[in-house]
Amino acid sequence: MTPFLQDGVAEGDVVRFTVSPDGLCWATGRVEASGNCTVRVLPNPRGPLGPSAQAVYDRLAHFGFGGETFSKELPLVAFTLPAGADLPAIKATLQQGEVEGWWSFEVGCATDEWEAA
């Protein structure tokens, strides 16, 4: 599962965690990094793609990584970018989409490879 609400961790990481009173697990530290990155993309409801999470998936489908949508009401899409993915091309596409008003994106967990891309 891709982390939606916590920065500094990615799917596949080995982490220490605590359980909140409402039963949610929150990472308190990373024991071993997976090499994966976490990116969250929120479609611009007034942009060319509208508020469609599916349109975000469609724009990024050719990269071959999966994602998860938070909800219909909040079409935030969280992606796990696997180690070895074409990070320069992915980063360029995400930046282009932001410039063209398709979406806003943030990186929840970056690797050195992402930073260098």
Side-chain angles (χ1 to χ4, degrees):
M1 176 176 257
T2 305
F4 271 99
L5 304 175
Q6 187 164 7
D7 289 335
V9 294
E11 184 175 357
D13 289 354
V14 177
V15 299
R16 288 184 186 87
F17 67 95
T18 60
V19 180
S20 67
D22 55 0
L24 294 175
C25 296
W26 293 95
T28 59
R30 189 165 35 179
V31 176
E32 184 179 326
S34 63
N36 297 330
C37 297
T38 302
V39 174
R40 294 181 286 264
V41 181
L42 183 63
N44 180 350
R46 293 184 182 87
L49 305 181
S52 171
Q54 186 59 53
V56 172
Y57 287 112
D58 293 347
R59 289 284 177 168
L60 298 170
H62 66 279
F63 291 113
F65 51 78
E68 300 174 53
T69 305
F70 191 78
S71 70
K72 184 172 174 68
E73 296 76 27
L74 178 62
L76 177 67
V77 183
F79 292 102
T80 296
L81 309 182
D86 186 356
L87 297 180
I90 295 166
K91 188 182 242 186
T93 300
L94 290 168
Q95 290 169 336
Q96 175 189 2
E98 195 163 67
V99 167
E100 294 187 15
W102 302 343
W103 54 56
S104 295
F105 79 95
E106 65 180 6
V107 180
C109 185
T111 59
D112 291 342
E113 292 78 13
W114 173 266
E115 296 299 336

